[in-house]
Amino acid sequence: MSDVEIQSAVKKYGRFTAVDSLDLTVSGGEFVTLLGPSGCGKTTTLRMVGGFVRPTSGRIRISDEDVTDKPPQKRKVGFVFQNYALFPHMDVARNVGFGLRMANRERSEREKRVAEILSMVRLGHLSDRMPSQLSGGQQQRVALARALIIQPSVLLLDEPFGALDKQLRDHMRVELRELQRSLGISTLFVTHDQDEALSMSDRIVVMSEGKAAQLGSPSEIYERPNSKFVAEFMGHSNIFDCLVEDVSKDGASISLNGVGFFTNSPSARKGSRMTAMIRPENIEFADSGEKRGDATVAATVAGMEYLGSTVQVTLSLEAGISLVARQTNTESATGSKLRTGQNVAVRIPPEAVRLL
Amino acid sequence: MENEYSSRLGYRLLLIFTCLVITFLIAPLAILVVQSFTAESYLSFPPPSYGMRWYADVLNSADWQDSAGLSLLLACIVTPCSLAIGTMAAFALNRGPSRGRRAMYALMISPMVLPHIVLGLGIFRIALELNISDTMIAFVPAHLTITIPFVIITVGASLQSFDISMEEAAQSLGASKFGSVWYVTLPIIRPGLIAGAIFSFIISFDEFIITFFLATYSRTLPLEMFSTLMFQVKPSIAAVSSLTLAVTAGLTAILMFRGQVAGESGVIK
Amino acid sequence: MSDANQKFKAWWLLSPTLLLYSLTFLLPVLLLVVMSFAKFENSVTEFGFYLGNYRKVFGDGITLLIFWRTVKLSVYITVACVVLGFPVAMVMRRAGPRGRLWLLFFIVSPLLTSIIVRNVAWVLILGRSGIINDTLREWGLIASPLPLMYNSFGVVLAVVHVYMSFMVLPIYGALQAINPSTEEAAASLGASPLRVFWFVTLPQSLPGLAAGCTLVFILSMGVYLTPVIMGGNFVVTLPMLITDVVRNQYNWPTASAMSLMLLVAIGAMVLVSSVVQKFGGRH
């Protein structure tokens, strides 16, 4: 039993392939995010499920029923649009009740259910307001209530936080996630914001050029990206081409332009060229007196960037390698006391280096 | 330009000039209205004495009644037809394929730039061939040809600013394609529809040259006014003009202020 | 919804308009073209390919004279509309929302009031015993009435009154679209208000200006009623001539040739304007 099943869906616009043979199943009230840069096909995928775009080939199934050839009004999906698409000529109650009116429900039943769902999104007191009189967050809750009232088998969210400012966005994503969890409704969410995807999702599909580049839990995607694209998109900065010099049972030694590192990443093959990723928050600054063997590298501080809770240090290594390190901004942290131009020794533990 | 240091003098000069231009636009009409209330049998300004004499004269005249009746009837037939046909065309141009859309749009509004004298001449000839020249069967399509472009423009502009995801939202909530247009799109683009209807009415009501060619015995209000004016300038013509002015200015006011108000509440901030 | 084959389905909605246009617009114009090559002799029209109508139109001296007079009048009208209309559009842009609405109302209201009503108003003002002449005579400033109508002046004045809004609205539209920051930038770079206008505002408003000029010129070329009322038989324009040839001489072929002359002139203006607007848009 799955709520949504996308089976090798393809969407072509002329020569351009927006979605290229995508497979995805969402079920059991899970929250799945389609994440990717603009033009990667995530919105097209969502609109295929919603019934606004007809796949060139492949099938879409909702609640185990093939809906590929069905128009949106026969699909029972709850779609929340990027700009909410609230009907400006109807008040909140009529906006929310629209789906029931289209289903020809009795007036009394409509009023009862509208009141219920509005109190669920804490908007009971605003039912006779017009959409233009609501704040961004309130508009979004109305859009959500309107989509949920038809008791859809799946909730589809198209960048619903795009129009909100940062503070409200953080608040709304907690609220939305709680509501979604309490209703147990399977949800497909589209965003280009990694933080949003990481904080909300059960699973994430990173999309690139119409294909799923990686599918996994937030921690898998963030900590073990399977490609350079995913690593870069998830905000990792230290990505290098490297040569695997030796492989042992503990890990492998690799060389970046002649600078040697040790990694415990399992996927290494001796003699192959691979992509290495070094996580900035795992780079440690060795005390000047302490010089301990293989994992320590000499570097010069090329730049410092103050980010509030963290400090980002750009390090210049030999052989022209530039490395970014991030340190928590505490009194005791070494990183926060550095000066540009200072020579330092940095320690890069094996678990900080990942081969992709 | 609009900062607080901008030249006050320059703006004041512009403002004075604008007031003069507005006076130029409005004063003749105001004078006309004042003169229509003269109690004399000739026109002068300001009239020596005032009265409703010429309005009574006009309203009791069978000629004026007949011609006003014909013009109203014509406008009342033309307006709904024009709105329906023009709105359909505006939807087609808005939703149709983008290739060829510009050319099609140009074709659809081209009766606007074609001189009405040429249009009238051509329609007259066709009507003569079909032997319908002095009938409603000729008047209505002729008027529609010049009113439909205005509907296409006003409704088209509303559709352009209409967010199609509203319709998609309605459909995902169970509305049929037609239902989503009926319950969502049409109410939202209402200002454009009202504007199109008012334009159609006024243009049909005031149309002169094409009807001038087509009509032999029929007299619409503008035709009657024209022939009266060519015969002699009597206060009755001022009274008729003022009445016509009241109708069109009233409709214009609705167009401007209703349209604006509806437009404002119709847009999410 | 957004799929290509569905989009083509939307075009059936054009069919009522196309059907109507083909009978009241395309066919009539085609007929005029065909008729302009027909032969008219002893009140009988004979279809064929006969260039006599054009030879007559271009050769009789009078038609061409009237044509150029029509062009000249249209140019005067267009220039007058620019001079009067541009400042109004600028004030509209700077006015507050309320003031703007009222200005818009004043600008649009003449557009929506009957042409014939407005001409009646001008007859009452400019006529031999109109307000101006009456007043001046009463004050003893003139002995005989001033010739204010039945000449080009009266025609131009009345047509400008009718078509001003067609100039103001496109210019206003173009001015509205200008990003005020570009003007502020020019000012911060040392440009005086006049130079800001000349180098920044005016060039950006050219598309609107071109559109307004085209519209007013085209409409002026085709105007019939105002020259008849305000000019009488003293300012004969091409539309008046065409009407006379059809209604009094029943000479359709000649009238058709004259109509095509008018259409070609208007087409040329549209072409020039689209070129100007293209170049204006590039800058």
Side-chain angles (χ1 to χ4, degrees):
Chain A
M1 170 83 193
S2 64
D3 291 319
V4 177
E5 202 176 342
I6 303 172
Q7 297 171 332
S8 37
V10 175
K11 180 65 198 178
K12 288 185 178 164
Y13 292 104
R15 281 191 195 159
F16 174 71
T17 306
V19 177
D20 193 356
S21 193
L22 188 79
D23 288 286
L24 180 67
T25 306
V26 185
S27 57
E30 69 176 335
F31 193 107
V32 176
T33 298
L34 298 173
L35 174 67
S38 60
C40 71
K42 57 189 191 300
T43 298
T44 308
T45 306
L46 195 74
R47 290 171 64 80
M48 281 198 283
V49 179
F52 306 119
V53 170
R54 183 189 283 269
T56 311
S57 67
R59 311 306 295 174
I60 309 284
R61 297 166 72 85
I62 293 176
S63 300
D64 290 325
E65 183 196 355
D66 191 327
V67 295
T68 317
D69 297 318
K70 282 193 170 177
Q73 61 266 29
K74 304 247 168 76
R75 293 196 179 194
K76 273 198 102 170
V77 293
F79 205 109
V80 176
F81 291 82
Q82 193 167 6
N83 51 8
Y84 316 134
L86 297 181
F87 305 136
H89 57 302
M90 299 182 190
D91 62 20
V92 167
R94 289 182 61 210
N95 257 288
V96 174
F98 186 85
L100 299 178
R101 190 163 142 222
M102 290 301 107
N104 299 316
R105 295 296 167 78
E106 296 274 325
R107 189 190 191 85
S108 54
E109 185 201 340
R110 267 167 24 204
E111 282 168 3
K112 190 169 139 272
R113 292 210 8 224
V114 167
E116 276 170 19
I117 203 141
L118 279 178
S119 72
M120 194 166 83
V121 296
R122 294 185 285 112
L123 282 178
H125 56 297
L126 296 178
S127 64
D128 51 2
R129 290 275 184 90
M130 297 307 277
S132 57
Q133 298 169 307
L134 301 178
S135 70
Q138 289 166 339
Q139 288 185 10
Q140 199 201 37
R141 285 193 226 138
V142 174
L144 200 58
R146 187 178 69 176
L148 289 172
I149 204 166
I150 61 170
Q151 298 177 322
S153 6
V154 59
L155 187 60
L156 306 175
L157 306 166
D158 185 8
E159 306 231 11
F161 305 116
L164 305 178
D165 54 45
K166 190 179 173 337
Q167 236 178 340
L168 191 55
R169 191 183 308 193
D170 294 345
H171 174 76
M172 286 308 294
R173 76 190 184 201
V174 175
E175 192 173 305
L176 171 66
R177 187 67 166 112
E178 275 171 7
L179 185 65
Q180 183 266 340
R181 222 172 250 145
S182 70
L183 292 170
I185 181 170
S186 292
T187 300
L188 198 53
F189 175 78
V190 159
T191 186
H192 64 270
D193 183 320
Q194 313 89 322
D195 294 340
E196 234 165 70
L198 291 172
S199 70
M200 298 182 75
S201 319
D202 293 319
R203 282 192 298 151
I204 296 176
V205 185
V206 182
M207 288 187 70
S208 164
E209 293 173 354
K211 291 194 173 94
Q214 189 174 0
L215 195 158
S217 70
S219 61
E220 277 168 2
I221 298 279
Y222 186 76
E223 286 160 26
R224 296 191 292 283
N226 64 0
S227 66
K228 200 172 166 180
F229 170 80
V230 175
E232 276 172 349
F233 189 74
M234 295 313 293
H236 296 294
S237 32
N238 301 322
I239 295 162
F240 307 96
D241 289 324
C242 67
L243 179 71
V244 182
E245 288 185 324
D246 193 24
V247 181
S248 67
K249 71 176 190 327
D250 300 332
S253 50
I254 59 170
S255 145
L256 312 183
N257 285 1
V259 184
F261 292 96
F262 196 71
T263 172
N264 61 4
S265 186
S267 55
R269 281 196 326 277
K270 186 174 174 176
S272 60
R273 297 209 71 90
M274 298 186 79
T275 301
M277 174 185 105
I278 301 172
R279 293 174 51 186
E281 56 272 31
N282 287 12
I283 296 176
E284 295 164 14
F285 290 88
D287 289 330
S288 47
E290 181 190 16
K291 279 218 169 182
R292 239 186 34 214
D294 49 10
T296 310
V297 184
T300 312
V301 177
M304 299 272 296
E305 208 177 339
Y306 180 77
L307 297 173
S309 60
T310 58
V311 174
Q312 192 158 297
V313 185
T314 309
L315 297 165
S316 185
L317 273 61
E318 54 190 86
I321 298 171
S322 180
L323 204 60
V324 172
R326 198 176 301 134
Q327 290 256 301
T328 313
N329 192 7
T330 55
E331 287 290 312
S332 56
T334 330
S336 57
K337 298 186 199 93
L338 295 172
R339 299 266 173 287
T340 305
Q342 190 178 337
N343 290 320
V344 290
V346 291
R347 204 178 81 81
I348 296 163
E351 62 273 16
V353 183
R354 268 205 69 78
L355 293 176
L356 309 179
Chain B
M1 277 305 276
E2 281 175 74
N3 64 54
E4 297 180 354
Y5 296 92
S6 49
S7 136
R8 298 239 153 200
L9 181 68
Y11 185 61
R12 258 184 214 159
L13 286 177
L14 272 183
L15 212 58
I16 291 168
F17 187 83
T18 301
C19 289
L20 291 176
V21 174
I22 298 290
T23 311
F24 162 72
L25 291 177
I26 300 299
L29 303 172
I31 289 168
L32 172 87
V33 173
V34 171
Q35 285 190 326
S36 70
F37 288 103
T38 185
E40 309 296 324
S41 55
Y42 57 91
L43 284 161
S44 60
F45 188 85
S49 55
Y50 293 89
M52 297 295 287
R53 171 182 168 188
W54 294 104
Y55 284 91
D57 185 65
V58 161
L59 293 174
N60 289 322
S61 143
D63 282 349
W64 288 120
Q65 279 174 13
D66 289 350
S67 58
L70 180 62
S71 276
L72 280 174
L73 176 66
L74 193 51
C76 288
I77 297 173
V78 167
T79 303
C81 295
S82 167
L83 193 61
I85 299 175
T87 303
M88 284 167 78
F91 266 89
L93 291 168
N94 186 260
R95 307 286 166 82
S98 47
R99 187 184 294 177
R101 187 185 299 183
R102 278 173 72 97
M104 197 50 103
Y105 186 78
L107 174 68
M108 287 287 133
I109 63 164
S110 51
M112 276 180 82
V113 291
L114 197 71
H116 289 179
I117 181 113
V118 176
L119 202 59
L121 203 62
I123 294 176
F124 180 36
R125 184 72 209 195
I126 300 278
L128 280 180
E129 303 291 339
L130 299 173
N131 217 0
I132 53 164
S133 68
D134 197 22
T135 65
M136 279 292 191
I137 304 169
F139 295 159
V140 171
H143 281 203
L144 283 175
T145 310
I146 55 171
T147 59
I148 284 174
F150 284 88
V151 177
I152 291 178
I153 287 174
T154 55
V155 176
S158 296
L159 279 176
Q160 197 131 50
S161 56
F162 172 75
D163 179 359
I164 191 91
S165 61
M166 304 270 178
E167 239 172 63
E168 294 176 345
Q171 286 173 28
S172 76
L173 295 166
S176 66
K177 198 161 175 124
F178 179 78
S180 66
V181 170
W182 183 257
Y183 290 111
V184 175
T185 316
L186 291 181
I188 292 176
I189 64 165
R190 203 178 58 184
L193 295 171
I194 292 175
I198 290 178
F199 270 116
S200 298
F201 188 93
I202 291 176
I203 290 165
S204 167
F205 191 69
D206 282 343
E207 205 291 318
F208 175 77
I209 186 70
I210 300 177
T211 325
F212 179 62
F213 274 117
L214 288 173
T216 23
Y217 300 107
S218 311
R219 283 284 175 84
T220 61
L221 196 55
L223 293 187
E224 186 70 34
M225 286 168 79
F226 179 71
S227 65
T228 307
L229 191 64
M230 291 288 100
F231 182 59
Q232 68 173 133
V233 183
K234 275 202 315 182
S236 59
I237 189 87
V240 175
S241 298
S242 300
L243 288 173
T244 314
L245 189 63
V247 172
T248 46
L251 286 172
T252 311
I254 295 176
L255 177 69
M256 300 290 304
F257 292 95
R258 275 288 308 267
Q260 182 71 15
V261 171
E264 266 171 10
S265 69
V267 175
I268 304 182
K269 277 177 277 182
Chain C
M1 281 293 320
S2 46
D3 286 357
N5 51 350
Q6 295 239 328
K7 284 196 163 185
F8 276 106
K9 280 186 199 155
W11 274 20
W12 73 266
L13 290 166
L14 284 176
S15 50
T17 317
L18 284 173
L19 185 68
L20 177 78
Y21 280 10
S22 55
L23 285 172
T24 58
F25 168 42
L26 304 175
L27 193 60
V29 172
L30 193 69
L31 198 60
L32 289 182
V33 174
V34 171
M35 239 171 352
S36 73
F37 294 105
K39 196 171 185 173
F40 184 74
E41 227 165 19
N42 305 323
S43 302
V44 179
T45 306
E46 214 179 289
F47 287 96
F49 189 78
Y50 172 69
L51 291 171
N53 301 310
Y54 288 100
R55 222 172 285 138
K56 188 174 145 202
V57 164
F58 285 101
D60 66 0
I62 297 174
T63 312
L64 215 53
L65 187 81
I66 290 174
F67 172 77
W68 284 119
R69 176 190 292 150
T70 311
V71 171
K72 209 166 69 185
L73 280 175
S74 303
V75 171
Y76 291 159
I77 291 162
T78 310
V79 170
C81 282
V82 172
V83 171
L84 295 183
F86 208 107
V88 175
M90 286 181 66
V91 170
M92 268 175 84
R93 181 191 179 204
R94 284 176 62 162
R98 261 207 109 67
R100 186 176 297 159
L101 195 61
W102 277 106
L103 276 173
L104 201 63
F105 178 72
F106 286 134
I107 298 296
V108 175
S109 59
L111 171 71
L112 290 173
T113 49
S114 161
I115 291 191
I116 202 158
V117 169
R118 276 176 294 174
N119 286 327
V120 170
W122 282 111
V123 169
L124 298 184
I125 292 173
L126 300 177
R128 243 167 251 288
S129 51
I131 294 167
I132 294 181
N133 277 322
D134 266 7
T135 314
L136 291 178
R137 226 173 341 190
E138 220 165 86
W139 292 349
L141 292 174
I142 51 167
S144 58
L146 292 175
L148 297 174
M149 57 180 274
Y150 302 121
N151 57 23
S152 304
F153 171 78
V155 174
V156 169
L157 193 72
V159 179
V160 167
H161 186 245
V162 175
Y163 290 151
M164 252 279 283
S165 38
F166 286 111
M167 183 64 81
V168 175
L169 294 179
I171 296 178
Y172 170 66
L175 287 175
Q176 263 316 84
I178 296 177
N179 181 353
S181 307
T182 59
E183 290 160 319
E184 287 168 359
S188 75
L189 295 168
S192 66
L194 266 181
R195 300 181 82 183
V196 169
F197 174 77
W198 184 254
F199 288 108
V200 180
T201 314
L202 186 62
Q204 291 190 81
S205 65
L206 279 182
L209 189 63
C213 288
T214 315
L215 208 55
V216 169
F217 183 85
I218 289 173
L219 290 168
S220 305
M221 286 291 290
V223 69
Y224 169 81
L225 200 54
T226 309
V228 170
I229 294 175
M230 300 302 295
N233 288 324
F234 300 94
V235 189
V236 175
T237 61
L238 196 55
M240 285 165 78
L241 185 63
I242 294 170
T243 312
D244 181 64
V245 168
V246 165
R247 286 180 69 102
N248 299 328
Q249 301 170 28
Y250 306 102
N251 189 342
W252 282 89
T254 303
S256 303
M258 289 172 177
S259 301
L260 284 171
M261 196 175 177
L262 196 59
L263 283 187
V264 168
I266 285 168
M269 182 64 196
V270 171
L271 208 68
V272 169
S273 146
S274 66
V275 169
V276 168
Q277 288 193 30
K278 216 170 202 170
F279 275 96
R282 289 237 178 97
H283 279 287

